[in-house]
Amino acid sequence: MPKKQTECLEKILKNIKAGKNSLIWKKNVFNYVEGVSKRNAVVYLNELAPIKSKLIQLITAIQEIRDRKVPTPTQFQRMTIDELKEMLFKKASGIKVVIVFNHFERLTPSTSRFWLSVSSHERIVFLGSICGKFKKEVFGFYQTFEVVNQKLMKAEGAGSEMDITMPFILVLGAFIFICFLKVSLTGSVILVSALWFAFLVVRTLLYLIR
């Protein structure tokens, strides 16, 4: 295994032990499955959608690893996503499950929210690859990961899509505060109220689009 790949693997194993998710920039994460499998129950999903079929694949793999009975296809299909998620949590108890996938950048907001909820389980860790920009709505899930070869990502002039909502609100707030102060000095109460109302509207709209 090349030196850089070995260094990435060491960081990944360290993160797994600490219960932290890992991402690899522009690398096929499948190349790390063998190294991670030596100490953990690893399930390679390739991608995280569609959710239901991936949950079934995940539960089936865990049961096979633990040499337990696997529910029939009919039983699986009758279950809802929430029921499958609850089953996954039960099956993952007592072992460390590493979910391996590629193309983090392809995640949709709804898919990322679901897997973010799955990552809250103390025995489940994610290992994925990322090859480009992702939707800003996925940022919450992205924050749970560490890019193990971040230097390479920065060297190529790429990186995560920034969540600019909060900085934008702060800058806008500062601007409105200055206007508020200047107008207050002139005594125009009506204009001050209008500016304050505009700020509240903008802040609410920004919150709704996140």
Side-chain angles (χ1 to χ4, degrees), residues 42-65 70 76-77 84 88 97 99-101 115:
V42 177
V43 182
Y44 179 71
L45 298 181
N46 189 32
E47 294 193 25
L48 296 179
I51 294 174
K52 186 169 184 177
S53 64
K54 296 302 178 179
L55 278 173
I56 293 173
Q57 182 182 343
L58 185 55
I59 294 169
T60 300
I62 292 173
Q63 289 299 87
E64 290 174 348
I65 290 172
V70 178
F76 274 135
Q77 291 303 325
L84 287 169
L88 170 63
V97 177
I99 301 175
V100 182
F101 68 99
W115 291 110

Side-chain angles (χ1 to χ4, degrees), residues 110-181:
S110 59
T111 302
S112 68
R113 283 195 297 270
F114 175 79
W115 291 110
L116 174 61
S117 69
V118 171
S119 70
S120 65
H121 193 283
E122 61 180 3
R123 306 299 297 178
I124 297 177
V125 179
F126 289 82
L127 168 59
S129 69
I130 180 170
C131 300
K133 299 286 186 179
F134 54 84
K135 296 178 178 64
K136 69 175 184 178
E137 294 86 356
V138 180
F139 189 75
F141 191 29
Y142 176 82
Q143 286 183 304
T144 68
F145 289 82
E146 176 189 346
V147 181
V148 295
N149 57 345
Q150 194 169 33
K151 289 183 179 180
L152 176 61
M153 184 175 74
K154 291 181 177 180
E156 294 183 0
S160 64
E161 179 177 291
M162 291 182 62
D163 184 359
I164 63 171
T165 303
M166 187 55 66
F168 178 74
I169 289 178
L170 292 175
V171 171
L172 182 63
F175 173 74
I176 292 180
F177 174 76
I178 293 172
C179 292
F180 183 94
L181 185 61

Side-chain angles (χ1 to χ4, degrees), residues 180-196:
F180 183 94
L181 185 61
K182 292 180 68 175
V183 174
S184 294
L185 295 175
T186 66
S188 179
V189 178
I190 295 177
L191 187 54
V192 170
S193 299
L195 285 171
W196 180 246

